[in-house]
């Protein structure tokens, strides 16, 4: 068995960050940034709001990392912060603009259209469903981890996820993105 696993290295960086090591926190940020951004984008449906949510999350995490009790809970802890930031942004600053027409770097018009249809179907989900699916799909959380992060029962999380994925599938089948 490897002595220095990725989890051990992450835990060590958290330990150093809690002791005030700015370089260690910077390395944590590099490790987690894309997961945070993908999740925020999936929930907020707008790249600018997602960037704001991630920035606010990282600042909050930096200022309060010394309060983190268990070093190996860093990822769950920072996603709870991000979820709260996303909820705040969604309730106070988001308008109907969803950023669907932003240039996502696609070379093919069909890929861009498919992406817009998928994003549109995802945006039709309610906030709880977007959070549960986002934490599951984009952050790789289990039902138990999502339950801990959202304050819901694991069985409720599984039900929300099942209904949300079923709804997404139906919408995408109607749009012709996936076929039965």
């Amino acid at each position: 068995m490897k002595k220095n696993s990725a989890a051990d290295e992450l835990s060590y960086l958290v330990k150093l960050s809690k002791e005030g090591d700015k370089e260690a926190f910077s390395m944590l940020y590099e490790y987690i940034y894309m997961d945070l951004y993908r999740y925020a984008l999936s929930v907020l449906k707008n790249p600018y709001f997602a960037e704001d949510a991630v920035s606010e999350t990282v600042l909050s995490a930096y200022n309060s990392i010394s309060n983190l009790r268990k070093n190996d809970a860093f990822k769950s802890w920072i996603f709870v912060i991000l979820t709260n930031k996303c909820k705040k942004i969604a309730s106070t600053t988001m308008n109907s603009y969803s950023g669907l027409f932003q240039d996502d770097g696609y070379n093919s018009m069909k890929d861009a259209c498919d992406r817009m249809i998928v994003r549109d179907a995802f945006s039709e989900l309610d906030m709880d469903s977007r959070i549960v699916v986002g934490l599951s799909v984009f952050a790789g959380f289990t039902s138990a981890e999502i339950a801990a992060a959202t304050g819901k029962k694991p069985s409720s999380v599984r039900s929300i996820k099942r209904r949300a994925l079923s709804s997404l599938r139906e919408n995408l089948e109607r749009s012709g993105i996936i076929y039965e």
Side-chain angles (χ1 to χ4, degrees):
M1 179 178 220
K2 270 185 143 177
K3 194 172 189 174
N4 289 330
S5 71
D8 291 340
E9 289 178 32
L10 187 63
S11 185
Y12 182 68
L13 288 174
V14 171
K15 177 185 176 297
L16 292 176
S17 296
K18 288 167 78 172
E19 295 169 356
D21 187 328
K22 293 175 185 174
E23 184 66 30
F25 190 84
S26 175
M27 292 172 76
L28 284 173
Y29 172 76
E30 287 177 25
Y31 168 79
I32 197 105
Y33 172 77
M34 284 310 297
D35 290 339
L36 294 173
Y37 178 75
R38 280 191 292 265
Y39 172 70
L41 184 59
S42 75
V43 171
L44 297 172
K45 305 169 288 182
N46 178 293
Y48 303 109
F49 293 143
E51 288 171 8
D52 286 347
V54 171
S55 294
E56 289 179 24
T57 296
V58 170
L59 183 60
S60 291
Y62 179 77
N63 288 329
S64 61
I65 195 161
S66 61
N67 298 329
L68 178 62
R69 288 183 221 139
K70 295 170 76 179
N71 293 352
D72 59 348
F74 173 76
K75 190 171 180 181
S76 297
W77 175 74
I78 200 165
F79 271 95
V80 168
I81 295 171
L82 179 59
T83 298
N84 291 332
K85 298 294 182 186
C86 287
K87 285 180 179 179
K88 179 182 170 194
I89 288 172
S91 68
T92 60
T93 62
M94 283 182 58
N95 297 320
S96 61
Y97 173 73
S98 67
L100 291 176
F101 300 105
Q102 295 297 314
D103 179 11
D104 288 336
Y106 286 96
N107 296 326
S108 153
M109 182 59 104
K110 181 177 179 348
D111 286 346
C113 288
D114 288 353
R115 173 73 173 210
M116 286 174 31
I117 291 168
V118 170
R119 193 178 289 170
D120 206 23
F122 190 81
S123 72
E124 290 179 22
L125 298 174
D126 61 86
M127 178 64 84
D128 278 347
S129 296
R130 287 196 313 266
I131 288 170
V132 167
V133 171
L135 285 172
S136 174
V137 173
F138 299 108
F141 280 31
T142 65
S143 296
E145 291 170 326
I146 295 169
T150 61
K152 298 182 183 316
K153 294 179 181 177
S155 60
S156 297
V157 167
R158 288 189 294 275
S159 293
I160 292 168
K161 181 180 172 186
R162 187 172 35 259
R163 281 193 307 272
L165 292 177
S166 177
S167 175
L168 279 173
R169 181 174 187 78
E170 289 171 12
N171 286 340
L172 295 176
E173 284 173 352
R174 275 194 307 272
S175 300
I177 296 291
I178 57 175
Y179 305 98
E180 289 188 64

